[in-house]
Amino acid sequence: MSAIRSARTVATVLGVGALGLGLLTACSDSSDDASPATSESQVSTTSEEAQDPPAMQECSREAPTGPLAVPTTSTEYTSGEAAYSVTLSDGTERCVVVESDSSGGDFDSTDKEIDIRFGDTSAGLLITIDGEKEGNLPTEVPQRVGDAFMGMQVDGNYFADSMHSGCEVTLTGLDDEMIAGEFTCTDVTLFEDGPFSLGSESTTTPLPEDTTITDAKGWFVLRA
């Protein structure tokens, strides 16, 4: 009887040991399966966080390109779209997106002037190109304009290149259906008021008077 009980005891111990080993193996397999899932989730989250916000993506776009055929009659462009990144002298960085489906600008066939103006006090773009000045109307695209006036609205504040020396404008398309181009600016001055504030009831906190745009880069397109 002692030998039988001893054999049963050994069998029981072996059975419990096998069960424990099975549970340990199952836990190990479950742990191995969980690790890749956690890692994949972390990679996905990191990738989403690394993407630029939609506004920044607009500012990084290239200027649209189009044909060159200087209009022979005065033309009104009824919509406008632009985006420009700016760095202010206080270190503030902004991506400004401007869209209008009611106005964009016009081309005057009499004095050959391109007048681009759309937006409001929060975000607006103003470019004037006198086509009667030599080198201002393109003979090919892209072509840098010889002389242009530029104004930009940034968070309710108006900055303008009043001396025509801080901004470079390049036209990438011009005909009676579209005007497109790009620009870069440095050291653009802050003004107390601008054309977009005329008739506007919105109020904003003015920046210090010595604030300037130290760097700006953007693109624009108008469509008839």
Side-chain angles (χ1 to χ4, degrees):
M1 293 294 292
S2 176
I4 294 173
R5 283 197 298 269
S6 177
R8 287 177 178 174
T9 301
V10 171
T12 301
V13 171
L14 290 174
V16 171
L19 177 60
L21 180 60
L23 291 173
L24 181 61
T25 302
C27 290
S28 176
D29 291 343
S30 176
S31 176
D32 290 344
D33 291 341
S35 295
T38 302
S39 177
E40 183 177 350
S41 175
Q42 289 173 344
V43 170
S44 176
T45 302
T46 302
S47 176
E48 290 175 1
E49 291 176 351
Q51 291 180 356
D52 290 336
M56 292 304 296
Q57 293 179 15
E58 287 296 307
C59 281
S60 63
R61 282 174 53 186
E62 297 291 331
T65 58
L68 172 61
V70 178
T72 56
T73 60
S74 295
T75 304
E76 182 179 356
Y77 301 87
T78 57
S79 67
E81 183 181 0
Y84 45 93
S85 59
V86 299
T87 302
L88 304 184
S89 53
D90 63 2
T92 301
E93 295 182 347
R94 289 281 188 274
C95 173
V96 182
V97 178
V98 194
E99 295 180 333
S100 172
D101 58 5
S102 59
S103 64
D106 60 72
F107 174 82
D108 190 326
S109 61
T110 301
D111 56 15
K112 309 298 182 184
E113 183 172 277
I114 298 173
D115 184 21
I116 297 170
R117 176 179 168 179
F118 59 96
D120 53 32
T121 54
S122 62
L125 181 67
L126 174 64
I127 302 176
T128 302
I129 300 172
D130 183 357
E132 292 186 334
K133 290 186 177 181
E134 185 177 355
N136 268 9
L137 286 183
T139 56
E140 60 181 4
V141 288
Q143 180 172 313
R144 178 185 165 189
V145 174
D147 178 73
F149 171 81
M150 274 203 62
M152 291 171 281
Q153 286 285 155
V154 180
D155 293 342
N157 296 275
Y158 179 66
F159 296 83
D161 178 26
S162 59
M163 301 301 292
H164 301 210
S165 58
C167 296
E168 294 182 358
V169 179
T170 299
L171 291 177
T172 59
L174 173 62
D175 65 4
D176 56 5
E177 294 292 331
M178 180 185 78
I179 301 176
E182 59 191 13
F183 59 88
T184 59
C185 299
T186 57
D187 298 325
V188 183
T189 306
L190 172 67
F191 282 76
E192 183 177 356
D193 292 304
F196 295 100
S197 62
L198 298 176
S200 174
E201 297 180 356
S202 62
T203 57
T204 57
T205 302
L207 293 170
E209 294 180 359
D210 60 350
T211 304
T212 62
I213 291 178
T214 59
D215 183 73
K217 180 180 180 180
W219 58 269
F220 59 88
V221 58
L222 282 64
R223 301 188 188 279

